[in-house]
Amino acid sequence: MEIVLDECAGFCFGVRRAVDTVYEQLEKGKTIYTYGSVVHNEVVVQELAKRGVKVLEDKASLLALPPGKGEEKAAVVIRAHGVPEEIYGILEQKGLECVDATCPFVKRIHRIVREQSAQGKHIVIVGNPGHPEVEGILGMCRGPATVVEEPGEAENFVPEEGDSLFVVSQTTFNYNKFHYIVEIFQEKGYNVSVVNTICSATKERQQSARALAARADVMIVIGGKHSSNTRKLYEICRGECANTYFIQTLDDLHLELPKAVRLVGITAGASTPNKLIEEVQNYVRINF
């Protein structure tokens, strides 16, 4: 039996940058908070918690922090997914040190929607409602904004008369689904401009996982249960390989492989540390 690890599996640039930023701040000896989980992986968050990093779950938690005072002030690290503009204002008002670990690809979307909404465009974000990245993008818009996740929502969407639409995407959204939704808007004849803001790492990861799943008898997808990009990988792999498993850690893996299995493929989301990937890979190699 052959075991193949997807060459694109594991930390992307933005996630590695965010995690490294938190560890760098820890070395300075200050009290460290992250606004939301710095990345969507429970193992990473638990390891940081052991080092004393506290998670601010929402705006109310941030408002409850005492004001910063001189050298004693805490540092708040902005998660890789980014935050609404309002959060930066609260940090400044409270005198708390802001360490911005927002992924540069997400920062680019923030700049785009600020500029375009200031020009009167209706921003359409193709993504998952309630996802931290999408909430952050919404919080950068100066005017009307709509989140669309499914083709049916695009079919039913009717803008105000005279609206000019400007479409962007959550960085980790399904590449093919994004283009399908864009086609719906274009076919409806709306005044629409589009910028594909799916990051290159996401596109490459999805294409690579799809190709591996098409060859595999069994696929294992490793990542956090709240990770959007990992869920997208699972959906893609499941479409190519019926025997696809979504796990967070090795404890979730309960495989009974028949002798007919020739190839087991392994991939992982952009927030999955190498340690987890290696544990799963070694387990499958040793036990099967």
Side-chain angles (χ1 to χ4, degrees), residues 186-199:
Q186 292 171 335
E187 288 170 0
K188 282 178 168 285
Y190 296 146
N191 181 7
V192 57
S193 301
V194 180
V195 175
N196 178 2
T197 51
I198 296 175
C199 80

Side-chain angles (χ1 to χ4, degrees), residues 96-130:
L96 296 167
E97 181 182 356
C98 175
V99 181
D100 199 345
T102 305
C103 171
F105 290 108
V106 177
K107 275 287 193 185
R108 173 175 173 256
I109 304 175
H110 290 181
R111 289 194 296 271
I112 290 171
V113 300
R114 277 199 304 264
E115 293 169 359
Q116 295 300 319
S117 59
Q119 294 174 23
K121 302 288 181 62
H122 183 140
I123 306 299
V124 177
I125 305 162
V126 179
N128 309 115

Side-chain angles (χ1 to χ4, degrees), residues 142-243:
R142 303 287 197 268
T146 302
V147 180
V148 173
E149 182 177 20
E150 299 295 338
E153 295 170 4
E155 293 282 4
N156 295 328
F157 174 72
V158 180
E160 295 290 330
E161 186 174 351
D163 269 5
S164 295
L165 305 183
F166 195 92
V167 182
V168 296
S169 175
Q170 181 180 343
T171 57
T172 55
F173 202 72
N174 184 301
Y175 183 79
N176 292 335
K177 193 174 180 181
F178 170 73
H179 282 282
Y180 182 43
I181 289 172
V182 167
E183 286 176 4
I184 292 172
F185 284 121
Q186 292 171 335
E187 288 170 0
K188 282 178 168 285
Y190 296 146
N191 181 7
V192 57
S193 301
V194 180
V195 175
N196 178 2
T197 51
I198 296 175
C199 80
S200 56
T202 295
K203 179 183 176 182
E204 291 167 3
R205 192 181 302 268
Q206 290 178 359
Q207 290 176 337
S208 182
R210 188 189 306 277
L212 178 56
R215 298 166 46 209
D217 300 297
V218 172
M219 275 297 295
I220 301 170
V221 181
I222 314 166
K225 62 182 178 182
H226 299 300
S227 167
S228 173
N229 76 84
T230 307
R231 288 200 305 272
K232 298 298 186 303
L233 287 178
Y234 173 73
E235 292 168 7
I236 288 168
C237 292
R238 188 74 174 78
E240 299 290 339
C241 176
N243 297 315

Side-chain angles (χ1 to χ4, degrees), residues 4-13 200-210 212 229 233 266-272 274 277:
V4 177
L5 175 64
D6 189 345
E7 61 182 10
C8 295
F11 276 3
C12 67
F13 161 74
S200 56
T202 295
K203 179 183 176 182
E204 291 167 3
R205 192 181 302 268
Q206 290 178 359
Q207 290 176 337
S208 182
R210 188 189 306 277
L212 178 56
N229 76 84
L233 287 178
I266 300 173
T267 192
S271 303
T272 308
N274 287 338
I277 299 170

